[in-house]
Amino acid sequence: MDTESYVLDVVEVVEETADAHSIVLRVPDELAELFSYRPGQFLTVAVPSDQTGIVARCYSLSSAPGDEAGHQITVKRTPDGYASNWICDNLRAGDTLRVLPPSGIFSPKDLDADLLLFGAGSGITPVMSILKTALRRGSGRIVLFYANRDEASVIFRAELQALQEAHPDRFTLVHWLESVQGLPSQDQLARFASYFTSFTAFVCGPGPFMKAATSALKGLEFPRERRHQEKFVSLGGNPFGDVEEMRAAEATIAEADDHEDTDAPALGGPVALEVELDGEHYAFDDYDGDKPVLQFLEDKGVPAPFSCREGNCSACACVVLEGEVRMLHNDVLDEDDLADGIRLACQSLPLTEKLKITYNG
Ligand code: FES
């Protein structure tokens, strides 16, 4: 049995640059609610592979919620990147693509806030979605620092220019070209950001760029709640595979970890679990705490978000409001995330008899 994946029609493929394609997907009316998304979220995509059957990858949506054209992801070829090259080489209008519903936590809570956006290369993708949405629905000022290798590799160049012309009072765009200015250093990024220290920052791009920009923001004492970064990861597992098979594997992992983790107190009885998700409130009193929260919620038919199920994508991220959990595995949340109470539901086992989590954070 497959997990809850969906096959969507590819209605258009746009060649954004020589090595980046946007794929526009049509979401049928009956899936509209399930596929509603916040700007900055991503889709998990199944790419066919001769060797492994399927390769799963997360690609940010570059469209804005409500865009009539459809849901658009933008994929840039990476050297030796099997999935990105397969998509750019093979996908055409009229084809189909198998995906999981949108997920991710890289999204502004307040669209009226002043936003300081940092995008580099294909890291512009979620930033573009945030920018378009905030311009359309919000009221704050928006500054985008956009770094690229050279002029030819600038994705959405014309669209960004049009947005700038349409919103000269609200939107400031600064291009940075490595071919002209070299790689932006932490000092240079800090100098730039120092003019906007009251803004809420979002950073997405290759690892070194994210590290430099995030360190610059930390140095300027941007508080944690105004500093967000998106981590791009390759999924090691296959979220499109057989559910039972995956659960057996998860159980084995859980068992192995249980043996290692002697500090974790054992729960004597059932856990009272409360969950907030998409405006709904769920409460359960028959959770033994013997399986990860995500798995329990799925068993109960709760449409909780997920992608990799392995602790390396953050699609299942939730905030613990009450109680405590321990995670079996975590490849994606950093210390700041953990301090904010963010946990991965696919890896979380309860440590307390009462547990309240929210996905609305
Ligand atoms: Fe990927 Fe939980 S589903 S970290």
Side-chain angles (χ1 to χ4, degrees):
M1 184 181 77
D2 284 333
T3 56
E4 301 83 340
S5 65
Y6 300 86
V7 176
L8 301 182
D9 292 330
V10 175
V11 290
E12 195 183 353
V13 174
V14 183
E15 203 174 317
E16 303 285 359
T17 66
D19 56 4
H21 286 184
S22 286
I23 314 295
V24 185
L25 301 164
R26 193 182 70 83
V27 173
D29 289 348
E30 63 271 21
L31 295 180
E33 196 179 327
L34 186 68
F35 273 80
S36 67
Y37 63 100
R38 299 193 301 276
Q41 289 196 299
F42 60 81
L43 294 181
T44 307
V45 171
V47 172
S49 155
D50 289 343
Q51 279 160 15
T52 55
I54 271 178
V55 171
R57 290 288 181 272
C58 300
Y59 292 111
S60 296
L61 287 150
S62 50
S63 51
D67 273 357
E68 279 180 17
H71 286 48
Q72 173 178 295
I73 55 171
T74 303
V75 179
K76 184 177 178 180
R77 291 179 193 273
T78 52
D80 304 324
Y82 172 76
S84 60
N85 282 301
W86 185 91
I87 287 173
C88 290
D89 286 339
N90 294 287
L91 269 192
R92 300 287 176 265
D95 292 341
T96 58
L97 194 59
R98 198 163 155 214
V99 300
L100 299 180
S103 51
I105 54 174
F106 184 70
S107 190
K109 288 190 179 67
D110 178 10
L111 287 173
D112 292 322
D114 293 330
L115 301 177
L116 173 58
L117 309 176
F118 286 97
S122 60
I124 190 65
T125 308
V127 167
M128 190 69 183
S129 182
I130 292 170
L131 168 66
K132 286 191 286 190
T133 309
L135 285 174
R136 201 177 291 165
R137 295 205 218 140
S139 58
R141 288 170 297 160
I142 306 171
V143 175
L144 168 59
F145 180 101
Y146 185 17
N148 279 286
R149 195 178 53 233
D150 52 32
E151 215 172 319
S153 59
V154 180
I155 304 172
F156 306 131
R157 187 157 48 134
E159 203 176 342
L160 285 167
Q161 193 179 332
L163 287 172
Q164 200 180 21
E165 285 164 10
H167 303 274
D169 48 335
R170 289 186 56 206
F171 176 36
T172 305
L173 169 62
V174 174
H175 282 290
W176 182 284
L177 297 180
E178 188 190 330
S179 57
V180 180
Q181 293 146 291
L183 283 171
S185 68
Q186 183 179 322
D187 282 351
Q188 288 166 321
L189 292 167
R191 214 168 306 137
F192 182 82
S194 67
Y195 295 100
F196 311 104
T197 51
S198 64
F199 285 37
T200 300
F202 287 82
V203 182
C204 187
F209 176 80
M210 294 224 296
K211 194 157 181 262
T214 302
S215 301
L217 295 171
K218 280 185 182 170
L220 292 166
E221 296 184 353
F222 271 69
R224 169 65 185 131
E225 65 274 15
R226 289 198 283 109
R227 182 163 48 76
H228 307 272
Q229 65 176 70
E230 178 68 310
K231 305 170 184 81
F232 278 128
V233 288
S234 297
L235 304 185
N238 171 17
F240 296 90
D242 183 284
V243 173
E244 298 312 321
E245 227 170 71
M246 277 188 297
R247 288 192 178 163
E250 278 169 7
T252 313
I253 293 166
E255 213 174 281
D257 272 35
D258 276 348
H259 289 155
E260 281 163 23
D261 193 350
T262 48
D263 293 339
L267 271 176
V271 181
L273 175 64
E274 283 185 59
V275 178
E276 293 173 358
L277 171 66
D278 293 336
E280 300 284 334
H281 183 263
Y282 303 87
F284 303 99
D285 57 10
D286 57 346
Y287 177 25
D288 287 334
D290 54 342
K291 56 181 94 164
V293 172
L294 172 66
Q295 194 178 328
F296 176 77
L297 293 177
E298 288 184 308
D299 289 347
K300 291 291 183 184
V302 177
F306 70 92
S307 175
C308 70
R309 296 174 178 278
E310 296 196 333
N312 56 25
C313 79
S314 86
C316 64
C318 61
V319 177
V320 173
L321 299 174
E322 215 181 314
E324 238 187 280
V325 298
R326 71 182 176 98
M327 287 193 285
L328 299 169
H329 188 71
N330 167 31
D331 263 350
V332 65
L333 300 180
D334 60 23
E335 277 172 28
D336 288 339
D337 298 324
L338 297 175
D340 287 346
I342 300 174
R343 298 291 184 271
L344 304 173
C346 74
Q347 300 297 317
S348 289
L349 292 172
L351 287 177
T352 49
E353 286 169 8
K354 184 158 177 25
L355 182 62
K356 185 171 179 183
I357 63 171
T358 181
Y359 288 93
N360 301 339

